[in-house]
Amino acid sequence: SSSLVNAAKVVAVATTALCEAADALVSGKGSSERLVAAAKQVSTGTAKLLIACKLHKDAESPSMKRLQNAGNAVKHASEKLVATALEFGGHEDDSSVSISDRLVKGMAQELEAAEAIARQERELEMAKRALQKIRESKFKRTATTMMAVNAFKKKT
């Protein structure tokens, strides 16, 4: 039952993050990327909650089927939210970039743009490594918990 509680807590935290990301985006203080990430967390957390429920209940029971339908609805709503956020968040206005006709100024602009790209690529790689470490840690905790659950089940 602790796996059910933990899975439900994950969904609750992810849903809170989704609401906060949506509020920030609407108020102009957030990003569509954060909203997308939060929506994906809700979808993933819901899937894990359903798996935890299936371990504790009859997977073919009417209540489990209704729960699965609700989970599918959450998944589809999250996918739709992600698609909408990407559609509206992906339209950046390039008209604000003024390109200089002067050789030195133009070279400086190109260098600044290349620098910005390199900085963002480095930040992206750092974020990817951090996410990988988080996922590895969660995997290890989940594996340890599942081993404990299986050992408990064998004893009973």
Side-chain angles (χ1 to χ4, degrees):
S1 101
S2 66
S3 61
L4 281 173
V5 172
N6 288 337
K9 285 180 181 178
V10 167
V11 173
V13 169
T15 303
T16 300
L18 178 61
C19 292
E20 289 171 354
D23 184 48
L25 185 63
V26 168
S27 67
K29 297 176 185 170
S31 68
S32 60
E33 292 83 5
R34 183 172 177 190
L35 184 70
V36 168
K40 287 180 179 180
Q41 280 186 329
V42 169
S43 185
T44 301
T46 302
K48 289 179 182 179
L49 178 60
L50 288 172
I51 290 169
C53 288
K54 286 180 183 179
L55 293 175
H56 294 281
K57 289 283 188 183
D58 176 19
E60 299 301 319
S61 72
S63 61
M64 193 62 220
K65 288 181 182 180
R66 288 192 306 272
L67 188 58
Q68 183 67 48
N69 288 338
N72 289 337
V74 168
K75 179 182 176 215
H76 293 310
S78 294
E79 289 170 351
K80 196 171 188 177
L81 180 61
V82 167
T84 302
L86 289 175
E87 179 182 334
F88 289 107
H91 300 294
E92 303 246 343
D93 187 14
D94 291 337
S95 63
S96 64
V97 177
S98 63
I99 301 168
S100 176
D101 291 335
R102 297 182 155 226
L103 180 63
V104 174
K105 178 97 168 143
M107 289 174 65
Q109 285 179 316
E110 185 176 345
L111 182 60
E112 288 171 5
E115 178 186 6
I117 291 169
R119 182 176 45 253
Q120 290 177 357
E121 285 176 342
R122 186 178 67 247
E123 289 173 2
L124 176 62
E125 285 305 313
M126 289 171 52
K128 284 181 179 180
R129 283 194 296 270
L131 178 59
Q132 182 65 32
K133 285 182 181 181
I134 291 167
R135 288 180 175 164
E136 287 172 358
S137 175
K138 285 173 58 178
F139 178 77
K140 287 176 185 174
R141 280 188 308 211
T142 302
T144 303
T145 302
M146 292 306 293
M147 287 173 41
V149 168
N150 288 336
F152 178 76
K153 285 182 178 179
K154 287 180 182 178
K155 288 181 182 178
T156 56

